[in-house]
Amino acid sequence: MTAELTTISAHRASYERRFQRVIDYVHENLDRELDLIQLAEIACMSPYHWHRIYQSFYGESLAATVKRLRLQRAAALLAKTEQPIEQVARACGYPNLQSFTRIFSSVYGMPPAKYRKQGSHVQFSASPTIRSSTMFTVVMKEIEALHLLGLPHQGDYMGIGQAFDQLQGIAASRQLFGPHSRSIGIYWDDPSLVEEAQLRSCACLVVSAEQQANQAKAPLQAYDIAAAKCAVLQYQGPYSDMHAAYEWLFGVWLPASGYEAADVAVYEEYLNDPRETSPLDLRTDIYLTLRVN
């Protein structure tokens, strides 16, 4: 490697590390006011220019990032806990309940109280009869082998968004986006068996074999998905409600299908961009690898 290329590589790595610090800070402080000047200091960049660089890396303004992450956290808390709505609002950085209700309604199509009672997660806490009557579309696919670069994540699966945000910046820095690019999340553990803090997952980008060989450098790791026959559940809706689809896939579809699941991690492909898409319109394919006799 020439001295010039070494310098470029070191400069790129510096940008990646600085934006990772910003992403980490934002995810860990969603309940606080986030000041652009303070974030510029965390990034060690000029307050005048740093936000323009951030937007070019991540494809959205910092304000849009914060709003998206706060509302994702709010939806998860509404679906998974019985916290009072005022407490959920404060935990997501909205000290004013009226503004929280207005913003949440504009994105999720209903106010927080109604979402808690009528969101798609509710029907799956009901009786088995109701669950079995719910239908998702499942298609059978022969999947070709995939080469991936990814960032591992440990903890609540809903927290993998932090790894995806970091991956977005690194991929932009290393110019990894191209015709092979697809966004994949791998989930190794069953949340009903493994403690939340120990759940293992990985935020990944599909790349070419050449890109994988050249770019599997810290913090990115190389992963491969083998060619296989898969049942693919086509889900539409908020990520916070996706556990409902898993319950149906494993509890209703699989026992009636005549297939056996292979001893391979489930993975998801995200078909549209949460930075540009309403949570209600997010489309995700859930891949369950099947055992072939």
Side-chain angles (χ1 to χ4, degrees), residues 191-261:
S192 65
L193 299 176
V194 178
E195 292 185 8
E196 185 176 275
Q198 303 303 318
L199 293 172
R200 299 167 301 146
S201 56
C202 189
C204 300
L205 185 71
V206 177
V207 295
S208 67
E210 181 180 5
Q211 285 177 316
Q212 186 191 58
N214 293 336
Q215 296 295 334
K217 304 169 185 176
L220 298 184
Q221 298 180 15
Y223 298 90
D224 290 303
I225 293 177
K229 182 174 184 176
C230 292
V232 184
L233 185 151
Q234 299 173 332
Y235 169 82
Q236 179 173 323
Y239 297 145
S240 58
D241 290 355
M242 202 182 302
H243 66 281
Y246 275 88
E247 290 191 11
W248 183 85
L249 179 63
F250 284 97
V252 178
W253 182 86
L254 186 61
S257 70
Y259 291 101
E260 295 286 337

Side-chain angles (χ1 to χ4, degrees), residues 54-69:
Y54 175 93
Q55 189 159 349
S56 68
F57 264 59
Y58 291 96
E60 65 180 353
S61 68
L62 180 68
T65 298
V66 171
K67 176 182 176 182
R68 172 171 56 83
L69 296 178

Side-chain angles (χ1 to χ4, degrees), residues 80-277:
K80 296 169 63 176
T81 77
E82 296 182 358
Q83 292 182 23
I85 293 175
E86 293 87 348
Q87 186 176 338
V88 171
R90 289 194 299 272
C92 300
Y94 293 98
N96 184 297
L97 180 59
Q98 288 71 31
S99 64
F100 170 62
T101 300
R102 183 181 69 254
I103 294 170
F104 188 93
S105 300
S106 69
V107 174
Y108 280 82
M110 62 182 73
K114 186 175 181 180
Y115 178 83
R116 169 170 275 169
K117 294 179 180 179
Q118 299 183 16
S120 58
H121 56 278
V122 172
Q123 61 186 306
F124 287 87
S125 63
S127 69
T129 301
I130 295 176
R131 290 200 299 269
S132 64
S133 67
T134 303
M135 294 294 293
F136 292 91
T137 299
V138 175
V139 297
M140 309 303 293
K141 289 186 179 181
E142 296 289 341
I143 305 301
E144 296 182 355
L146 300 175
H147 303 291
L148 312 173
L149 288 169
L151 285 175
H153 170 75
Q154 182 170 318
D156 184 356
Y157 281 157
M158 282 300 295
I160 197 175
Q162 183 171 353
F164 271 110
D165 286 340
Q166 292 175 348
L167 180 63
Q168 167 74 25
I170 295 171
S173 170
R174 301 189 188 185
Q175 299 180 324
L176 294 178
F177 293 114
H180 296 280
S181 299
R182 295 160 59 189
S183 185
I184 300 284
I186 304 175
Y187 301 89
W188 281 285
D189 298 313
D190 182 344
S192 65
L193 299 176
V194 178
E195 292 185 8
E196 185 176 275
Q198 303 303 318
L199 293 172
R200 299 167 301 146
S201 56
C202 189
C204 300
L205 185 71
V206 177
V207 295
S208 67
E210 181 180 5
Q211 285 177 316
Q212 186 191 58
N214 293 336
Q215 296 295 334
K217 304 169 185 176
L220 298 184
Q221 298 180 15
Y223 298 90
D224 290 303
I225 293 177
K229 182 174 184 176
C230 292
V232 184
L233 185 151
Q234 299 173 332
Y235 169 82
Q236 179 173 323
Y239 297 145
S240 58
D241 290 355
M242 202 182 302
H243 66 281
Y246 275 88
E247 290 191 11
W248 183 85
L249 179 63
F250 284 97
V252 178
W253 182 86
L254 186 61
S257 70
Y259 291 101
E260 295 286 337
D263 191 18
V264 176
V266 174
Y267 61 97
E268 300 171 358
E269 179 174 4
Y270 308 103
L271 303 179
N272 46 15
D273 191 337
R275 296 168 300 173
E276 302 172 350
T277 309

